[in-house]
């Protein structure tokens, strides 16, 4: 019962669609813009870097807050915290408020790491950022960073945490399956992060 409650709380919190709600405040239905994906990258591409970054942070908070509360109130273990974060990522990807549509789980994964082992957030971005800056493929950076982080956590945090991180990677890989296909076919859309942060808010 304890695990079911944690999973339900994680899923419900993850379902709150900040990447949909924030653009809507500015009169933009993000599902009708760009790729149509309800995620921070689509917001960043079409409404500018700062708004995109803000929605990514809020999407990460959906996993961060329930984990912090559960650790304070229930004294949950690291693996239980990873479980809550994973179901928040599932909720973000398949939101009950968006007819089970949503983002691609990366922000919630980073939010989970921030709550439990924050120094690994630096590891994630240390892998992700150079890949994205060099290739301009956010999907490639995200998938590779999560894969490498899964391997690292197996060796540094043990099998329990490593397996949950592998589950995060598997979810993100599944959610990025169209992007992976596009990368293979040479059709994946590029994202210039520097240009995005210079861009004024608005549509492309």
């Amino acid at each position: 019962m304890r695990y079911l409650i944690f999973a339900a709380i994680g899923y419900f919190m993850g379902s709150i669609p900040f990447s949909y709600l924030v653009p809507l405040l500015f009169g933009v239905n993000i599902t009708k813009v760009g790729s149509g994906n309800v995620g921070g990258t689509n917001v960043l591409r079409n409404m500018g870097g700062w708004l995109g970054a803000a929605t990514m942070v809020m999407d990460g908070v959906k996993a961060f807050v329930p984990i912090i509360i559960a650790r304070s109130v229930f004294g949950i273990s690291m693996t239980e915290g990873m479980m809550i974060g994973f179901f928040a990522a599932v909720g973000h990807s398949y939101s009950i408020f968006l007819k089970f549509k949503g983002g691609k789980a990366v922000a919630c994964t980073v939010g989970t790491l921030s709550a439990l082992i924050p120094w690994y957030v630096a590891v994630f971005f240390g892998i992700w950022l150079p890949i994205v800056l060099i290739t301009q493929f956010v999907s490639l950076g995200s998938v590779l960073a999560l894969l490498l982080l899964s391997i690292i956590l197996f060796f540094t945090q043990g099998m329990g945490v490593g397996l949950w991180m592998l589950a995060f990677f598997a979810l993100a890989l599944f959610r990025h399956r169209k992007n992976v296909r596009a990368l293979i076919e040479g059709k994946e859309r590029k994202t210039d992060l520097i240009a995005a942060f210079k861009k004024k808010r608005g549509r492309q």
Side-chain angles (χ1 to χ4, degrees):
M1 181 62 71
R2 173 186 174 100
Y3 294 138
L4 287 175
I5 292 173
F6 288 159
I9 291 172
Y11 176 79
F12 179 80
M13 288 294 294
S15 287
I16 302 171
F18 288 120
S19 291
Y20 175 79
L21 295 172
V22 172
L24 204 61
L25 292 175
F26 295 94
V28 176
N29 182 343
I30 200 64
T31 65
K32 306 295 184 183
V33 175
S35 66
N37 182 253
V38 186
T41 300
N42 197 31
V43 178
L44 180 146
R45 285 172 178 161
N46 294 281
M47 302 188 70
W50 295 109
L51 199 58
T55 59
M56 290 179 190
V57 169
M58 284 187 276
D59 284 339
V61 166
K62 297 188 297 188
F64 181 88
V65 169
I67 293 171
I68 292 298
I69 293 175
R71 292 194 80 178
S72 301
V73 177
F74 300 105
I76 62 170
S77 66
M78 182 80 74
T79 53
E80 287 174 327
M82 292 291 283
M83 182 190 73
I84 293 173
F86 176 76
F87 279 97
V90 172
H92 174 67
S93 301
Y94 302 99
S95 171
I96 57 174
F97 302 114
L98 295 175
K99 298 179 180 180
F100 299 102
K101 296 180 181 179
K104 298 184 178 178
V106 178
C108 281
T109 304
V110 175
T112 300
L113 295 173
S114 299
L116 295 169
I117 38 178
W119 47 93
Y120 283 95
V121 175
V123 176
F124 172 85
F125 282 109
I127 300 169
W128 180 87
L129 188 59
I131 293 173
V132 176
L133 288 176
I134 293 169
T135 69
Q136 297 189 348
F137 293 131
V138 174
S139 56
L140 181 64
S142 298
V143 170
L144 287 181
L146 292 180
L147 174 60
L148 293 174
L149 203 52
S150 298
I151 297 170
I152 292 169
L153 288 181
F154 261 111
F155 288 103
T156 61
Q157 297 296 316
M159 182 173 290
V161 173
L163 285 173
W164 276 112
M165 193 65 218
L166 193 61
F168 278 105
F169 163 70
L171 175 61
L173 181 63
F174 180 75
R175 295 295 294 166
H176 283 89
R177 62 193 183 280
K178 291 182 180 179
N179 303 88
V180 172
R181 188 180 304 118
L183 282 167
I184 294 171
E185 295 173 352
K187 299 177 181 179
E188 176 69 332
R189 182 179 179 183
K190 291 189 174 184
T191 302
D192 187 333
L193 288 182
I194 296 174
F197 278 92
K198 292 179 178 179
K199 179 183 176 181
K200 294 182 180 179
R201 191 185 74 242
R203 303 188 188 197
Q204 284 186 341

